Amino acid sequence: MSALIECVPNFSEGNNQEVINEIAKAISQTGGCKLLDVDAGSSTNRTVYTFVGSPAAVVEGALNAARTASHLINMENHKGEHPRMGALDVCPFIPVRNVTMADCVHCANLFGKRLADELHVPVYLYGEAAVKESRRSLPAIRAGEYEALPKKLREAEWTPDFGPANFVPRWGATVTGARKFLIAYNINLLCTKELAHRIALNIREQGRGKDQPGRLKQVQGMGWYLEEENIAQVSTNLLDFEATPLHTVYEEVCRDARDLNLPVVGSQLVGLVPKKAILDAAEFYINQKNLFILEEDHKIRLVVSRLGLDSLGPFNPKERIIEEMVQDGNESGCLVSLPLRILVQKVGSRSAAPGGGSVSAAMSSLGAALGCMVGLMTYGKRQFEELDPIMRQLIPPFHRAMKELVTMVDEDSMAFSSYMEAMKLPKSTPEEKERRTAAMQLGLKKAVGVPFSLAEKVNSLWPSLKEMARHGNLACKSDIQVAAKALEAGVFGAYFNVVTNLKDITDEGFNQQVQMKVSHFVEEAKESAASVLELLEERTK
């Protein structure tokens, strides 16, 4: 998959649609950049753009946007609810796929230097790109905002990282850097700006100062009033949504609002959000209310409903969840995306791949899917009502396994790529031969890893399939039987692939360990599949 970086420039214009559109056009017309979202706020007088591309492309896209803004935005008359210090207030770079944080730091430095050199404006580095610890925090750099810049720029402590230490009235100053994925998340309240800010002070990590820290780590916050919606908001930035999840922020605001007898009327995500943040919130509410939900889209609907994410406008997951917006061009060529007829023809063609490994993964995935289907054909039916608690336990492992196993159809087909690349390495000198041999051995171990993982995953399903054979809807007897044999065949296929590759691996310790485990998986598959069939034959109802 290609390297992908996200860039989220925040421009100090949220009302003039012509300006907003021109900046968007500058980004979208940059080669290699894909504009994902444009989120304009009237009261904040600020627009957040989200786009992705290769490292080189996102730097060019950000520069093109800044060039356009330099002709269209004048900070001398700017007013808005959101803190700001420049026409292009902040421009972070965030790793998305096949890039490191160091790559994003490099982008921030390159962008900052070129912006300062071209537009002759002061630029600061923050986050992971900060060269001074005192500048890691964006609020610390932005303290005093645009109005404080004339004095601030005369202080040695605030000499810009790039560009002149001169006040540029039309522009102000820009902050750029690298960071993890930040979630901009606002909770709606029917109250005053002051009351919303009181709650923000309670929850944000900074709190009211060093002696009065807030409750939530890695959370920034403030209260403001949205005139266009006639509501107040606790506006937050989640700097690390795994340290403090989305639902935790919402529930903590609700808690303080209850104490103050204030109504919470939904919430708002600004820009895009990682799918994991939504699914983590779903798991919280599922566990809280002991709900039974399997499908991702249903989990997302639950979170939209519980958090009121559609309170200020439609929340379309395909337009708001970053994984839905970013698709690699190679995905359309995946085996699992092909019609079944074409996949069968590919297997039957004169080519080594896809072969037995991919077929084993497909059979195993279908076996797990049948186990899931039988559970769902039993769950929620009045005649099997007493079995609902059991089905709630049995269905999820099959549902997870069928999704994990189906990805191995393509993974197995690509498993030899490292080995094949290693074979192409030069072998003219003893050193080159040694490096080539080591790379080939590593490639073979990777090739063994996919079928081994398949057998291991199927091995974990046998207890659940036996229970399904004991309790599942007997009208689906043949489906459980097919599931058992499909899973057994998948393990056998994985075993043969592992053994074939082990013979060329010289690491005896690795060989013995893998051989012992995969042989155990085969024996377990034979015994368990036979046990499932026997249990079904013994059942009469």
Side-chain angles (χ1 to χ4, degrees), residues 340 343-344 358-374 398 401-406 409 458 461 465 479-480 482-487 490:
L340 180 58
L343 176 59
V344 170
S358 293
V359 172
S360 298
M363 284 193 299
S364 300
S365 178
L366 288 168
L370 283 169
C372 184
M373 180 266 278
V374 174
F398 290 113
M402 73 178 188
K403 296 177 75 173
E404 292 172 17
L405 289 165
V406 78
V409 173
V458 172
L461 292 178
L465 192 62
D479 299 298
I480 305 176
V482 173
K485 297 307 286 185
L487 292 171

Side-chain angles (χ1 to χ4, degrees), residues 52 57 117 166 169 214 228 269 296 384 390 410 442 522 525 531 533:
V52 293
D117 290 348
N166 299 328
E228 65 269 26
L269 282 164
E296 273 189 3
F384 305 122
I390 296 174
D410 281 287
L442 183 60
V522 167
S531 178
L533 299 182

Side-chain angles (χ1 to χ4, degrees), residues 31 114 387 503 516 541:
R114 289 180 62 185
L387 295 174
K503 62 181 174 59
M516 181 179 68
K541 62 177 181 176

Side-chain angles (χ1 to χ4, degrees), residues 44 81-83 183-205 207-208 214-216 219-227 229-238 244 246-258 260 262-270 307-309 311-312:
T44 57
E81 289 281 350
H82 199 290
I183 299 177
Y185 179 54
N186 306 328
I187 297 91
N188 309 327
L189 296 162
L190 300 181
C191 67
T192 63
K193 170 183 175 179
E194 291 74 18
L195 284 168
H197 192 60
R198 185 194 302 184
I199 295 175
L201 295 176
N202 291 342
I203 67 164
R204 70 183 189 183
E205 183 172 18
R208 291 172 170 80
R215 300 196 298 269
L216 302 181
V219 174
Q220 299 169 339
M222 65 181 294
W224 62 34
Y225 202 83
L226 285 184
E227 294 290 347
E229 300 291 347
N230 196 26
I231 58 169
Q233 286 186 323
V234 175
S235 175
T236 69
N237 284 335
L238 281 64
T244 300
L246 203 62
H247 56 271
T248 299
V249 177
Y250 180 78
E251 293 296 330
E252 287 298 307
V253 170
C254 287
R255 180 178 126 187
D256 282 16
R258 282 194 299 270
L260 294 170
L262 301 176
V264 174
V265 287
S267 61
Q268 173 194 34
L269 282 164
V270 179
L307 302 186
L309 294 176
S311 57
L312 299 183

Side-chain angles (χ1 to χ4, degrees), residues 4 24 35 50 79 85 105 113 133 167 184 208 211 222 231 291 338 341 343-344 446 472 487 490 511 519:
L4 208 64
L35 183 61
T50 304
K79 299 292 179 185
M85 63 188 294
V105 169
K113 186 176 189 313
E133 189 62 31
F167 179 55
R208 291 172 170 80
D211 297 330
M222 65 181 294
I231 58 169
L291 306 175
L338 297 174
R341 183 188 300 275
L343 176 59
V344 170
K446 287 183 178 179
L487 292 171
N511 279 7
S519 296

Side-chain angles (χ1 to χ4, degrees), residues 230-306:
N230 196 26
I231 58 169
Q233 286 186 323
V234 175
S235 175
T236 69
N237 284 335
L238 281 64
L239 305 182
D240 185 343
F241 71 86
E242 293 185 284
T244 300
L246 203 62
H247 56 271
T248 299
V249 177
Y250 180 78
E251 293 296 330
E252 287 298 307
V253 170
C254 287
R255 180 178 126 187
D256 282 16
R258 282 194 299 270
D259 292 343
L260 294 170
N261 295 317
L262 301 176
V264 174
V265 287
S267 61
Q268 173 194 34
L269 282 164
V270 179
L272 303 182
V273 62
K275 183 181 287 184
K276 186 178 187 301
I278 298 290
L279 295 180
D280 286 350
E283 290 306 316
F284 171 79
Y285 291 112
I286 287 169
N287 293 331
Q288 184 188 62
K289 299 295 184 183
N290 193 29
L291 306 175
F292 184 66
I293 303 175
L294 292 173
E295 301 299 333
E296 273 189 3
D297 60 335
H298 291 168
K299 292 179 179 181
I300 292 168
R301 285 188 187 186
L302 173 70
V303 174
V304 172
S305 173
R306 291 298 170 94

Side-chain angles (χ1 to χ4, degrees), residues 411 415-419 440-451 501 505 510:
E411 288 173 12
F416 271 104
S417 59
S418 296
Y419 177 71
M440 288 169 63
Q441 288 294 304
L442 183 60
L444 283 170
K445 286 182 177 181
K446 287 183 178 179
V448 164
V450 176
N501 292 316
I505 295 176
F510 176 84

